[in-house]
Amino acid sequence: MTPEERTAKWTAYYERTAGEPPRKSLLRALELHGDAPPGLAVDLGCGGGRDTLELLERGWSVVAVDREPAATERVEAIVPEAHADRLRTLAEPLETVEIPSCLLVNASYSLPFCAPDRFAAMWSRVREAIVPGGRFTGQIFGDRDEWRDNPELTFHTRDETEALFDGFEIEDFTELDEDGLTSMGEAKHWHVFTVIARKPDAPARPLGDD
């Protein structure tokens, strides 16, 4: 797929999904965050901005990342002026983007689009960016997903997915393995793991430890 074809494909997706509500996985993560003050969230693969908008409306500051400039331009255009000072956009691929330290990484159906040979390094940056007490929420494609033969996408077994969160507290883990439709209305067999995981709080330093 040429860059032009990819941009046209994703622009059509943004237009098709415009106005849809935020992902349920993000809403659940925010519910688990509770009454704690909002902080910085990184929306990896922000797309049309449905999750970015929800975070901004709840008082979070957001770094919205997408490889397609059409996505970040769209987000900038739809964000109300009252929230604009808490938004920063980055038109960069997941494979190379530097992720700032943050309280929340939201990756709604974006991580599988990271190149397989770059996934491990990208995932390491995600883990390191989340501060103690912070969370990850997002989706991983399973090994029975219909798109599994696409060499540009990354897939994991259930065991491999659980291993990604070694050292984190998994707060919500659901597996979808069924026929359905894509956002563009095309039939597809989905195999998806949705995960919400919290990085443990840093251990207290012993008294007298310099």
Side-chain angles (χ1 to χ4, degrees):
M1 183 182 297
T2 67
E4 292 76 15
E5 290 171 335
R6 187 181 65 224
T7 296
K9 169 188 172 183
W10 285 112
T11 298
Y13 168 79
Y14 306 147
E15 293 174 352
R16 180 70 177 257
T17 58
E20 288 194 359
R23 298 285 185 182
K24 292 180 180 179
S25 50
L26 171 64
L27 296 179
R28 176 57 179 152
L30 293 175
E31 179 183 332
L32 289 167
H33 186 72
D35 295 329
L40 178 64
V42 177
D43 192 5
L44 290 178
C46 62
R50 58 201 285 191
D51 290 347
T52 292
L53 279 176
E54 182 69 18
L55 286 160
L56 290 169
E57 289 173 359
R58 292 181 181 235
W60 290 72
S61 297
V62 181
V63 177
V65 179
D66 202 288
R67 74 169 63 238
E68 295 296 330
T72 54
E73 291 168 4
R74 186 183 189 93
V75 170
E76 291 170 356
I78 65 175
V79 166
E81 185 176 349
H83 301 328
D85 63 336
R86 287 185 284 108
L87 171 69
R88 180 161 67 101
T89 60
L90 293 173
E92 293 187 38
L94 297 183
E95 290 88 343
T96 58
V97 68
E98 292 297 324
I99 305 170
S101 295
C102 58
L103 194 56
L104 176 67
V105 168
N106 178 65
S108 294
Y109 287 87
S110 59
L111 298 189
F113 293 90
C114 178
D117 61 343
R118 309 289 293 278
F119 187 93
M122 180 277 299
W123 181 245
S124 178
R125 294 198 305 275
V126 169
R127 287 178 55 97
E128 291 173 4
I130 300 171
V131 300
R135 286 181 172 81
F136 168 89
T137 178
Q139 286 75 29
I140 302 291
F141 281 179
D143 57 317
R144 294 191 296 277
D145 193 271
E146 185 172 323
W147 291 343
R148 62 187 175 275
D149 293 329
N150 187 330
E152 297 181 356
L153 305 184
T154 298
F155 303 85
H156 292 80
T157 66
R158 184 184 181 99
D159 287 347
E160 290 169 344
T161 300
E162 292 175 345
L164 292 174
F165 298 94
D166 184 44
F168 278 62
E169 174 193 353
I170 295 180
E171 298 177 304
D172 203 308
F173 190 105
T174 60
E175 180 176 2
L176 176 71
D177 191 358
E178 64 183 29
D179 293 334
L181 298 174
T182 69
S183 296
M184 303 303 291
E186 301 170 345
K188 176 183 183 291
H189 184 84
W190 291 96
H191 186 208
V192 181
F193 302 105
T194 296
V195 185
I196 301 173
R198 180 180 180 274
K199 178 179 278 191
D201 295 314
R205 296 176 63 184
L207 292 176
D209 189 13
D210 296 329

